[in-house]
Amino acid sequence: MNIKSGFTNWISPSNIALVKYWGKKENQIPINPSISLTLNNCHSKTKVSYSKSKKGFNYEFFFHSEKKQSFNKKLDTYFKRIIDHCPSINQLSLKIESENTFPHSSGIASSASAFSSLSLCIYEIEKIINKNKNDFFNKSSLISRLGSGSACRSIYGPIALWGKTKYFDNSSDDYAIPLKNYHEVFFDYLDTILIVDHEPKQVSSSHGHELMNSHIFKKDRVYQANENIGILKKSLKTGDLKSFIKVVEQEALMLHALMMTSKTPYILFKPNTLEIINEIWNYRKKTNLNLCFTLDAGANVHLLYPKNEEIEIKKFIDKNLLRFCSNRRYIHDSISEGPKSNDG
Ligand code: DP6
């Protein structure tokens, strides 16, 4: 085949899970469905340049313009897994250039934005070479999943669901889908990320997923996550923020409770994480405003709240919560429509 060289270019955001993906089977299939908000400011920019290769598939990876081989193990696994879905890359040499907009050493995980932006670039190349025009986003989500599970949700904004569930007919374990039916209060929902600890976490999510295989609470966790999808579906549709908050906070605490009760227990939150949680609970009792928290697999705290309460809540953050942040750092973000092609 006569292959012309070219490049593709995508910006893709990170996401924050409301119902957490925690535990997986073979082939990156989740043990339970998850729902997330797609963010705006925390994103990765990736450019993939391609040309016909004389020696079969090969690639080079640059992160912030520096050649990085430390990512090669993850990337090798990714390319092995996606080759059947993107056969055209077998004949290509790729130069991958990626950068994140999150501040350096913020402790924010980047695999979701990194793998979703890379997958959009790769699947666009597949589309160009094999003239395969079908299901572009769906296929990009599927191959993102094979890089990092949570990455498949970043393909869609503002709210995405991944994993088969009885609550959504078209849901799938293979890829994420965008959630359609949600209340206007969520159109511009905000997420302020408090950087409690900027060090990389000591236990990887991959290891945490693995520990779920033999977890004593696995069956109950899978049951509860499915129930929470059902409850959240309702609160997202009606805009019932009280029930939204209840599920979101329960999910965050359950994620960390699962870590603490696994066969080799570990704790990722820090004393300041708990200080922040207590401050939020007191503030909510006092003001009845709809500020709530969620946690990733780390010590940082995501503060979720509606735009129409922003002024009050930001004052509270600056006055009461900033003192618990490492170097008084936080990132203001909001939900977005999802990835953008960056061809300009
Ligand atoms: C706690 O997607 O990072 O953030 O599939 O092994 O790459 P891999 O795991 P990853 O796990 C994310 C777990 C989580 C919850 C979530 O985002 O749903």
Side-chain angles (χ1 to χ4, degrees), residues 15 17 19-22 24 28 34 74 111 145 147-151 153 205-206 209 255 296-297:
N15 66 74
V19 173
K20 309 291 178 182
Y21 148 52
W22 201 236
K24 56 181 159 180
Q28 297 279 103
S34 55
K74 262 201 143 173
S111 69
R145 182 195 102 237
S148 176
S150 55
R153 296 185 312 238
S205 286
S206 297
H209 289 298
L255 172 70
D296 244 332

